[in-house]
Amino acid sequence: MNMKEAEMATARLLEVMDTLRRECPWDREQTFDSLRNNTIEETYELADAITDKNMEGIKEELGDLLLHVVFYSKMGEEQGAFNYTDVANGVCDKLIYRHPHVYGDIHADTPDEVKQNWETLKLRKKSRKNGALGGVPVSLPAMVKAFRIGEKAAAVGFDWQKREDVWGKVKEELMEVDAEIEAKNMEYLTDEIGDLFFALINACRLYGIDPEGALERTNKKFIRRFGHVEQRAEERGVTLRELSLEEMDGYWNEAKQNEK
């Protein structure tokens, strides 16, 4: 990366933000609260582009997120709270502090050791009141939050000794789901299904799998195969409801074979 070009591009973006905040009615009226949902949406759009391996889309969505960083920084400057320089220097200071194996005399030869050091250093920054899990944002989606909770608990030693052991927990939770189904206890069934999800997400963590990404791949696969079933029904001039379950299963299996 050409540092001079990067500096010029950053200066240009900051100047554009100043102009928009001063002269555009929409930009001028925005607040931290009004932008919050837009920022969340932009983050998901980036996630979609990453899932699709769409490099052009990733570049565009990163630009949108960078705009939001600059936008929030400008509003912080207007309120005398912080500015873009504070934000950039703050993250640099944090990165240097959390990478003592690069900027200090700590040794970390594997990614797992780096993560362990990172979580330990983060924990030192937290008050005892917040505890090891205090840094997990409340507003995170439940699946992402469960993954981060598992990571943070593991960082202080609360984890399975061998990753294979997690499957015993998954089976245990599945048996408890079965028991509540038999008892027809819907309230407890909700709890047990939640426990089953949590165990599966921990299994993903231990095997290095992103549960959100894995589920999204399945979503896309289901949509693709279901679309094939719809197409075959349309070719026959019938609706899906006019197909028998056996016929739909046949077209579904046909779609699976076409993917091989």
Side-chain angles (χ1 to χ4, degrees):
M1 180 177 66
N2 186 308
M3 291 298 295
K4 186 173 182 179
E5 289 182 354
E7 290 172 3
M8 291 174 61
T10 301
R12 182 186 179 202
L13 178 56
L14 292 171
E15 183 179 348
V16 168
M17 187 72 256
D18 286 345
T19 301
L20 293 177
R21 189 67 172 167
R22 186 174 59 250
E23 299 181 13
C24 173
W26 186 88
D27 289 280
R28 194 164 53 233
E29 73 175 6
Q30 297 312 305
T31 66
F32 286 98
D33 289 334
S34 70
L35 276 182
R36 178 180 179 275
N37 287 340
N38 287 2
T39 306
I40 294 171
E41 182 179 338
E42 295 295 353
T43 303
Y44 278 108
E45 288 179 1
L46 172 61
D48 286 345
I50 292 171
T51 300
D52 293 339
K53 297 181 172 56
N54 179 352
M55 299 307 292
E56 188 64 29
I58 292 172
K59 181 185 74 173
E60 180 179 349
E61 300 305 336
L62 283 172
D64 290 343
L65 275 181
L66 180 57
L67 168 62
H68 281 239
V69 172
V70 171
F71 212 145
Y72 288 120
S73 299
K74 178 62 179 177
M75 291 188 290
E77 180 181 352
E78 292 167 353
Q79 297 179 25
F82 59 86
N83 58 27
Y84 178 81
T85 302
D86 297 327
V87 172
N89 281 332
V91 74
C92 287
D93 292 342
K94 183 187 295 184
L95 287 171
I96 292 169
Y97 172 75
R98 292 185 181 172
H99 288 78
H101 55 288
V102 177
Y103 295 97
D105 55 5
I106 300 297
H107 295 287
D109 298 322
T110 67
D112 284 342
E113 289 175 344
V114 171
K115 286 183 68 175
Q116 182 93 20
N117 287 338
W118 181 283
E119 293 294 345
T120 300
L121 289 167
K122 285 172 70 175
L123 189 59
R124 287 180 188 169
K125 287 283 189 178
K126 306 295 179 184
S127 69
R128 290 185 178 179
K129 180 177 67 175
N130 290 333
L133 305 181
V136 180
V138 174
S139 59
L140 275 179
M143 184 178 291
V144 180
K145 186 187 294 185
F147 193 91
R148 290 296 291 131
I149 288 171
E151 283 188 323
K152 286 183 173 292
V156 295
F158 191 75
D159 204 2
W160 286 269
Q161 289 187 339
K162 297 185 298 181
R163 67 179 185 177
E164 294 82 4
D165 294 342
V166 72
W167 297 113
K169 185 63 174 176
V170 171
K171 292 174 184 176
E172 174 190 326
E173 298 298 350
L174 186 57
M175 289 173 61
E176 291 178 1
V177 168
D178 286 339
E180 298 307 334
I181 290 173
E182 285 290 327
K184 296 181 173 58
N185 190 329
M186 295 307 296
E187 181 180 352
Y188 288 152
L189 177 59
T190 298
D191 290 340
E192 296 303 340
I193 287 178
D195 291 347
L196 177 59
F197 273 133
F198 193 82
L200 284 169
I201 290 167
N202 270 293
C204 288
R205 174 180 59 81
L206 289 164
Y207 281 82
I209 295 169
D210 169 25
E212 184 75 25
L215 183 57
E216 182 57 18
R217 285 178 62 171
T218 295
N219 289 340
K220 289 179 181 294
K221 181 167 57 180
F222 186 95
I223 291 170
R224 185 171 61 249
R225 292 175 181 175
F226 196 78
H228 178 79
V229 176
E230 288 182 308
Q231 179 184 344
R232 295 290 275 144
E234 185 177 343
E235 289 171 357
R236 287 179 51 183
V238 297
T239 66
L240 287 176
R241 288 194 173 276
E242 293 175 297
L243 292 177
S244 67
L245 183 57
E246 290 75 16
E247 289 173 314
M248 285 193 280
D249 279 341
Y251 293 142
W252 180 273
N253 290 327
E254 187 177 86
K256 287 178 64 175
Q257 288 297 320
N258 291 342
E259 293 173 2
K260 293 182 179 179

